[in-house]
Amino acid sequence: MNRCPDSLTDLDWLSADILLRTIPDGVMVVDARGHIRAWNRMMERLTGLTHDRVCGKPCNILHCNQCGDPRKLPDECPMLRGELDERSIECEIRSADGSFLPVLRNVGVIRDQHGTIKGLVECFTDLRKVKRLEQQLSVLGEKELLHEPPPGLTGRSSAMQDVYRSIHLAAASDATVLLHGETGTGKERVAEAIHHASARRDQPLVRVNCSALSETLLESELFGHVKGAFTGAVQDKPGRFELANGGTIFLDEIGDISLLSQLKLLRVLQERTFERVGDSKPHHVDIRVICATHRDLHQMVLDGQFREDLYYRIRVFPILLPSLRERKGDLPLLVTHFIEHFNRITGRTIAGVDNEALHCLMDYCWPGNVRELENAIEHAFVTCRDKLIGLFDLPMELRMVELRHAYCPDKQRLAKTTNNAADHPRLDDAKSNAMPDSPEAFKALLAECGGNRSKLARRLGVDRTTIWRRMKQLGL
């Protein structure tokens, strides 16, 4: 068995030139002054710089972003100063076309037999493929973490991200979905998003507002009827389930239907079969069912107002829609969305809302949620005559503190707490919340608010018109 040589120089067929040419990484050798003395072919391929162009030049021709001041070579190089014997860093070097390349730079110090530094040998590994892969993984990670709003929905809050994620999951199956949340949170928009993202997108989406139909009419609307089934039934009529065959049926406000209608609906959800009113022939349908309600169905089950078996049948995949006050961070996006919407409808060019109006919108509790916000912006389009919607362009219940407290129980409780704060008096609070009795005190308080009467009104918890009236009483 042949013994391996102690040194590469013992191999008579391996020269330094062959070694430099065959190493798969870029190799550069510099002398003690930092000037390039060797430059292999892989280095030429990597940078586009030929051996003749760089030989004898300072190594700062690479413009490495991790090196010190290139004008101070070799004094500023810790390797040439002997402070480090080896170093491995990720950096960028400049190529012949001026672009910068990501590389892994491994540097070793060359010393003679006396320990004197004679130069450096540096190997460069191309990291472009690695960086591209990292970028692709980063983009995929961002897409996984941040879902784009489906058409018809607006918001980037964490609460809405949960909704978008649920829409994505629901659209991939045919499971029955229960949308629950306060009135005006966009349940119908979510139902549309699920349908249009599902495999049934090319089939009909049939909507039924259960609260708008009486018990008798609801049965006929859902299941259809045959001619002569009741007075006025002059011909056969298909029901909503039949019209939705192959697609999706959206049962809005399902918590408002009677116990008898719940029983009949349960059979359809279980067996996907129904009978028209006045007929005994069963009809089979292939449908996806999405239900919605603003009621607490679980409490209705406990109170005997909703069938427990139907509750669990429709609650296969529940999605909770957050109220607007739970995602106030989305409010500026929603305001912009509605302004753009009404600009398209009316042909106007309103640019946005001013700071006072935005502060008022953010301070309101929005019991009617997104639908109420849309109505408020539409109201402002009627009253606004400038490019920006102002405070007095908003509905009265939003801008008047007294009405705002009446509409918002939390604000009302806070006001009562403030009024009953005598148990824990503080000088600053008394100064801030008491209406001044003298012109001097009023002027001083107004000065603390920078002369801004709206800011003073918010500080005192009153409407801005109250401030104006008080100033008139004080002769200001």
Side-chain angles (χ1 to χ4, degrees):
M1 182 175 179
N2 295 330
R3 188 177 68 87
C4 293
D6 296 328
S7 172
L8 291 176
T9 57
D10 294 339
L11 297 174
D12 54 3
W13 48 267
L14 180 62
S15 65
D17 182 60
I18 294 175
L19 187 62
L20 284 176
R21 285 203 314 267
T22 55
I23 289 178
D25 286 335
V27 177
M28 175 181 74
V29 178
V30 301
D31 60 22
R33 295 184 302 128
H35 289 192
I36 299 173
R37 294 304 177 189
W39 186 268
N40 71 348
R41 291 181 179 176
M42 284 303 298
M43 204 63 183
E44 290 183 350
R45 295 179 187 175
L46 180 64
T47 64
L49 298 170
T50 63
H51 176 272
D52 295 338
R53 183 173 174 181
V54 300
C55 190
K57 301 288 182 63
C59 62
N60 58 36
I61 193 174
L62 294 177
H63 296 274
C64 175
N65 64 343
Q66 296 295 325
C67 291
D69 189 344
R71 295 171 298 180
K72 297 182 179 180
L73 273 175
D75 296 337
E76 288 295 312
C77 179
M79 304 293 290
L80 293 176
R81 290 205 309 263
E83 297 176 4
L84 297 172
D85 281 338
E86 57 183 32
R87 188 183 186 191
S88 180
I89 57 171
E90 284 191 22
C91 62
E92 290 184 345
I93 59 175
R94 191 162 71 179
S95 63
D97 62 5
S99 63
F100 282 86
L101 308 172
V103 295
L104 176 63
R105 186 175 186 175
N106 291 297
V107 187
V109 176
I110 304 173
R111 298 177 185 270
D112 62 12
Q113 62 271 28
H114 304 294
T116 303
I117 295 177
K118 306 301 291 185
L120 308 173
V121 59
E122 307 187 24
C123 292
F124 295 82
T125 303
D126 189 354
L127 295 182
R128 282 176 292 187
K129 291 183 179 179
V130 175
K131 294 299 180 183
R132 281 196 295 269
L133 182 59
E134 287 179 353
Q135 186 176 15
Q136 291 171 0
L137 291 174
S138 176
V139 170
L140 289 174
E142 290 177 359
K143 288 183 177 179
E144 178 65 25
L145 293 174
L146 186 62
H147 292 265
E148 287 298 318
L153 296 173
T154 301
R156 292 186 173 275
S157 63
S158 59
M160 289 305 294
Q161 288 297 312
D162 291 339
V163 173
Y164 302 154
R165 193 174 297 110
S166 296
I167 290 174
H168 176 74
L169 294 173
S173 76
D174 273 340
T176 302
V177 177
L178 174 62
L179 307 175
H180 55 110
E182 296 180 9
T183 299
T185 50
K187 295 185 284 292
E188 185 172 357
R189 295 288 180 266
V190 172
E192 292 172 354
I194 293 173
H195 172 75
H196 292 305
S198 72
R200 298 177 182 266
R201 65 179 70 89
D202 296 326
Q203 301 300 319
L205 169 63
V206 177
R207 301 168 177 83
V208 183
N209 187 350
C210 299
S211 63
L213 301 171
S214 65
E215 180 177 322
T216 305
L217 188 58
L218 178 64
E219 184 179 356
S220 174
E221 284 294 319
L222 290 180
F223 311 128
H225 61 257
V226 296
K227 181 179 179 180
F230 51 84
T231 303
V234 296
Q235 61 182 2
D236 292 353
K237 179 185 175 182
R240 303 290 181 91
F241 276 97
E242 197 169 347
L243 294 175
N245 191 27
T248 303
I249 188 167
F250 174 50
L251 303 176
D252 196 9
E253 299 301 347
I254 194 171
D256 292 347
I257 64 176
S258 67
L259 289 171
L260 180 59
S261 297
Q262 293 174 28
L263 178 61
K264 295 179 179 180
L265 183 61
L266 178 63
R267 179 189 174 191
V268 182
L269 298 182
Q270 286 177 334
E271 304 174 8
R272 293 297 194 266
T273 59
F274 65 92
E275 297 172 0
R276 290 181 178 180
V277 177
D279 191 11
S280 60
K281 179 183 177 182
H283 295 264
H284 178 79
V285 286
D286 172 25
I287 54 172
R288 166 59 168 297
V289 179
I290 300 177
C291 303
T293 183
H294 70 282
R295 298 182 181 276
D296 185 349
L297 293 186
H298 183 261
Q299 186 61 46
M300 291 181 67
V301 169
L302 297 178
D303 295 340
Q305 299 175 353
F306 200 86
R307 292 184 61 92
E308 184 176 13
D309 47 5
L310 178 60
Y311 171 68
Y312 288 112
R313 175 62 61 181
I314 65 176
R315 196 182 177 277
V316 177
F317 190 78
I319 300 178
L320 173 64
L321 273 65
S323 63
L324 183 53
R325 61 184 172 275
E326 294 175 304
R327 56 182 189 110
K328 283 286 187 72
D330 289 334
L331 195 140
L333 288 174
L334 289 164
V335 169
T336 301
H337 167 75
F338 289 131
I339 288 176
E340 292 174 351
H341 170 70
F342 288 117
N343 275 336
R344 288 192 299 269
I345 293 177
T346 63
R348 301 186 63 181
T349 56
I350 291 179
V353 298
D354 65 18
N355 290 334
E356 284 187 291
L358 181 59
H359 184 280
C360 181
L361 294 173
M362 293 294 290
D363 188 56
Y364 188 54
C365 63
W366 299 107
N369 294 292
V370 179
R371 185 182 294 122
E372 186 181 9
L373 175 62
E374 181 180 8
N375 293 340
I377 299 300
E378 186 174 10
H379 173 98
F381 264 71
V382 176
T383 58
C384 181
R385 290 296 174 263
D386 298 319
K387 290 294 183 182
L388 291 176
I389 294 173
L391 180 64
F392 283 86
D393 296 320
L394 299 176
M396 189 174 294
E397 64 269 17
L398 270 68
R399 55 185 171 85
M400 291 191 67
V401 175
E402 295 89 347
L403 292 177
R404 196 155 65 237
H405 286 176
Y407 277 85
C408 302
D410 292 339
K411 297 286 183 184
Q412 195 173 26
R413 285 194 295 270
L414 180 61
K416 290 180 180 178
T417 303
T418 302
N419 293 333
N420 296 330
D423 294 337
H424 303 282
R426 294 195 311 174
L427 181 61
D428 291 341
D429 290 344
K431 184 177 180 182
S432 299
N433 295 324
M435 181 68 75
D437 294 326
S438 66
E440 293 76 14
F442 193 97
K443 289 179 181 179
L445 196 57
L446 184 61
E448 291 181 12
C449 296
N452 189 319
R453 285 173 289 189
S454 297
K455 184 176 180 180
L456 177 59
R458 291 194 296 268
R459 179 171 175 175
L460 296 177
V462 298
D463 191 71
R464 193 164 66 169
T465 55
T466 304
I467 298 297
W468 290 344
R469 287 195 299 269
R470 188 60 173 169
M471 291 179 67
K472 185 176 181 180
Q473 292 171 358
L474 297 174
L476 299 176

